[in-house]
Amino acid sequence: KGLRSPQESVHDLSPVESFRIPCKEELRELHEEPTDPQAQQEIINSIEEVYFSNDSFDIVKYELERLPPVLSLQELEEYRDKLKQQQAAVSKKVADLILEKQPAYVQELERVTSLQSGLQLATVICTNGRRHLNIAKEGFTQTSLGLLANQRKRQLLIGLLKSLRTIKTLQRTDVRLSEMLEEEDYPGAIQLCLECQKAASTFKHYSCISELNSKLQDTLEQIEEQLDVALSKICKNFDVSHYTKVQQAYRLLGKTQTAMDQLHMHFTQAIHNTVFQVVLGYVELCAGNTDTKFQKLQYKDLCTHITSDSYIPCLADLCKALWEVMLSYYRTMQWHENHDQDEAAVSSASDGNNVIGTEENSFDRSYVKKKLEHGLSRIWQDVQLKVKTYLLGTDLSSFKYDDFIFVLDVTSRLMQVGEEFCGSKSEVLQESIRRQSVNYFKTYHRTRLEELRMFLENETWELCPVKSSFSILQLHEFKFMEQSRSPSVSPSKQPASAASTTVTLFEQYCNGGNPFEIQADSKDDETEDVLASNGYESDEQEKSAYQEYDSDSDVPEELKRDYVDEQTGDAPVKSISRETLRSRKKSDYNLNKVNAPILTNTTLNVIRLVGKYMQMMNILKPIAFDVIHFMSQLFDYYLYAVYTFFGRNDTFESTGLGLSSSRLRTTLNRIQESLIDLEVSADPTGTLTAAEERKEKVPSPHLSHLVVLTSGNSLYGLAERVVATESLVFLAEQFEFLQPHLDAVMPAAKKPFLQQFYSQTVSTASELRKPVYWIVAAKAIDYEQMLLLMANVKWDVKEIMSQHNIYVDALLKEFEEFNRRLTEVSRRVRIPLPVSNILWEHCIRLANRTLVEGYANVKKCSNEGRALMQLDFQQFLMKLEKLTDIRPIPDKEFVETYIKAYYLTENDMESWIKEHREYSTKQLTNLVNVCLGSHINKKSRQRLLAAIDDIDRPKR
């Protein structure tokens, strides 16, 4: 009924039109039409998706666009009917849903009507309540207000009375504050002032109080200024009670951190003012006038005006004053450590009732601790810079040794203070004192080397009589070593000394005294007891000279060893055995004197110098390398002098007998190149660097004309040679003894130098004996005469001889004469066993080589003649063994092998020649020539001579 025709629908429908709700009649009709729900649902499902979309779109346009290009009425009507069916199905579905929900709608409408009635009733009740409240308010307000106003007036009057009493008290506090400041009760004054300020701020609305408030603020500032002055006094003389008051005062002000900043500033200022005043005092004192021009100088310039006389006392006073400042800082830190512990204990006992206050205190404590720890290095740096400026302000190269050692000692003590103060290695101080030391030491060492040259050139190589118990530790110069060794020397005192070493200077001098007090040197009161009064130390010792070998327990180990193995440097195990004692009657020519060290005045002088050098090195470790280098030069120069005076002889060195080891030759060449100035006359045209190098060198020394080395009676200066070589060996032993001490102070990077010095120089001292005594051995026996006697002997005898030749007796007579003269020399100087052994070894070796040379000069020789040679040699050995204890006889095989080679066959002879290169070409050639005719033909002779020539060619 309500549906329109399709044409009307097409015209009227808009693109946004929704489905129209059917009227009741339509609904009823739809409802009454018996339809199949399933069929209806299928119709709805057949509707295109686009109709269900939310998007608004033009339905008419959509349907028109879908029309086919060629229109058919029948198809259109069919399509229209289909759309109508779909519309009818949708309308039917909507109507069913509306009818289904209608009872619920009616029920909800009833509930809304009921709610509206309830709200109207509530409005009436609220209106009545408000009316009743207004009536009550008007009835009670006036009476209550009257009572309240009177009570308020009473309270105001009571408060006014209290205020007037407080104002009266405030007016009187000014006088009390002044009294407290005079008494230096800073905490009390600040407490009172802060309380007054708090009270004043409460009553600031009164005009009389505003003036008082500004006055209190001025007083507080005045207290702060006085506190700052009081704080500055701490820097030079720390007082516990005074500092406690000052700290309490700053805490009340809430300026603990500010106080710490101020304190560090005061310490810096105190260091500057202290050093300036000390140096200024000495400068003005030395200037001798009241001229104020010095006060305007900078500290650096002021230091240059210090005279050499006042330098040391001024340095001591400077260090004393700086010590006082550092001690005050140390005690300040101690105070804070103790205070922090006390506070920590208190705060832990309170169980954290006031957490915020505890945290704030803890923060302040940690700030103060860090600031103080940081300040340690800053203050020490300031001290170092001030002392460095003073140290470098004067040239110390002209100072006396003892004065310079005192400067080093004071600086060393100051560095020790620095290490204990803040763990600093004092690089600034070390560098400044190192510069001064190297400068001083170069000048000092140069002078000492010149002195040593003068000593050596005037040295007559006489024995310096010292006691058998002599030790370098008895010399003044080595006393510092004895002190450092004392704990190990006296075990009974060790615990006490060990305990004392743990006490720092700050703990030691905390309550008084000063580590820089100049103490009177007790050196003058002591006397060295090292020299023997005569050849013997006493009559008893003279009688017991023979027992001296067994009773020298008081002699240091280093000095007991008469014989030192040249290869290892060790004493043989049985050096003091009875066998050796018996043998010394012949070999060690010293039983008429006590077994004392052999040394000269020059040796003693060098040892003293070494002691002085070590003293300086001990005080100043950074220049250890320079000092040890200079010490090595003293030894080098002494060694070179002994070699130049007694061991240099080109004639004997050219024999190629290996008298000087390659190590010794290398050492001597090194010394000559690095230390000896061979160009004595200065070359004015030389370059500057050459002049500088020459400055470091010393001219070669010349032997004193008083020393005679050409007399046969004195065995060509044997006594002087013994004193020279053995004093050198003794010096080397002392250097060996000092090696651990030198090694301990030597920087790790430079230790190879020290090891090289010991292995290549010190250990070669005993090797110098060979070339020195070779010269004596070469001249002591007339080997040329022996060759002449041997040339007169007939060796081509036909029968075996039973009597030896006369030249053997002549040679043995020479050896007996040599032994006699050796004994005579030993009356002047003890000849140690190694020396006598070397002398005998040299003489025997030369004699044996002379024998071989004599046999090599033989033109004709028979088998019987060769046997006679063996007989002569055996006779020589037999008699010689009675004169000397040397076993085996040196070069014995050298002679025997040469004699026996005569009997070899041709083939054996050739291999023998190739193996025995120790014989000269002449000796080998002679051997072949002598054998010609007996068991070697001419052809074989040519071959053997060619073999000799092949051996000789590389030598040429």
Side-chain angles (χ1 to χ4, degrees), residues 622-634:
I623 65 158
F625 170 68
D626 300 285
V627 176
I628 291 172
H629 176 61
F630 290 147
M631 274 170 63
S632 73
Q633 287 189 346
L634 294 175

Side-chain angles (χ1 to χ4, degrees), residues 368-384:
V368 167
K369 189 179 178 184
K370 283 178 184 172
K371 189 78 179 173
L372 283 168
E373 286 171 357
H374 178 65
L376 279 171
S377 52
R378 271 187 55 198
I379 283 172
W380 177 241
Q381 190 66 12
D382 285 347
V383 169
Q384 280 193 92

Side-chain angles (χ1 to χ4, degrees), residues 158-168 203 205-206:
I158 290 170
L160 180 63
L161 185 62
K162 279 185 182 177
S163 299
L164 289 170
R165 282 175 181 162
T166 308
I167 289 166
K168 186 180 178 183
F203 306 115
H205 47 281
Y206 297 115

Side-chain angles (χ1 to χ4, degrees), residues 39 278 286 354 372 416 498 549 630 776 794 842 850 862 884 888 955:
V278 170
C286 296
N354 184 3
L372 283 168
Q416 185 188 344
Y549 294 110
F630 290 147
V776 175
K794 288 185 72 177
H842 281 342
T850 309
S862 60
T884 178
K955 294 180 185 176

Side-chain angles (χ1 to χ4, degrees), residues 222-255:
Q222 186 186 344
I223 292 171
E224 279 192 46
E225 285 173 13
Q226 288 198 21
L227 259 182
D228 197 43
V229 173
L231 191 65
S232 68
K233 290 177 183 175
I234 298 296
C235 300
K236 288 186 183 177
N237 189 13
F238 183 87
D239 180 71
V240 176
S241 60
H242 181 72
Y243 188 66
T244 308
K245 283 182 188 176
V246 172
Q247 277 297 325
Q248 284 175 349
Y250 272 111
R251 178 168 292 189
L252 286 170
L253 288 171
K255 293 187 175 181

Side-chain angles (χ1 to χ4, degrees), residues 35-53:
T35 53
D36 183 5
Q38 191 174 351
Q40 220 174 16
Q41 187 61 40
E42 284 175 2
I43 291 168
I44 289 170
N45 289 345
S46 68
I47 298 170
E48 288 182 35
E49 281 294 325
V50 74
Y51 283 101
F52 292 105
S53 68

Side-chain angles (χ1 to χ4, degrees), residues 120-137:
Q120 284 172 350
L121 182 61
T123 307
V124 173
I125 291 166
C126 285
T127 308
N128 290 337
R130 282 182 179 174
R131 191 172 65 250
H132 290 138
L133 277 171
N134 282 334
I135 293 165
K137 182 181 174 184

